[in-house]
Amino acid sequence: MAKDFTLNDRSHTGYGYGWVIRKLRGNDALEHGGDIGGFSADTLRFPKEQVFIAVLANSDSHEPAPDAIAEQIAKIIFAPLAQL
């Protein structure tokens, strides 16, 4: 489910079975988010670094959006100490 799905024409989708596959701050990342009335969430998984970030919100207003919060947490985790 974490492998990029390839279409019949050999183009890549950037999506596995349930996970968006991308690079974030130079690291391979898997992302999945969603919402339902009154709640929203986002998860980021960094397999090589064995890091998993989950942001859960009791709101679906997207202010601030859970994916933006998860990315900010990743930025802090992977920032060189000199930049903190």
Side-chain angles (χ1 to χ4, degrees), residues 3-59:
K3 184 178 177 185
D4 186 17
F5 186 78
T6 304
L7 299 175
N8 290 339
D9 67 0
R10 300 281 185 219
S11 62
H12 295 275
T13 62
Y15 189 77
Y17 294 97
W19 294 94
V20 174
I21 301 166
R22 64 186 185 122
K23 288 227 182 253
L24 185 61
R25 301 193 57 77
N27 304 80
D28 292 330
L30 304 170
E31 182 175 24
H32 183 81
D35 54 28
I36 190 168
F39 305 95
S40 57
D42 192 69
T43 60
L44 277 173
R45 180 174 177 243
F46 298 89
K48 291 179 187 171
E49 294 80 8
Q50 297 185 1
V51 171
F52 185 85
I53 299 167
V55 177
L56 309 173
N58 290 337
S59 170

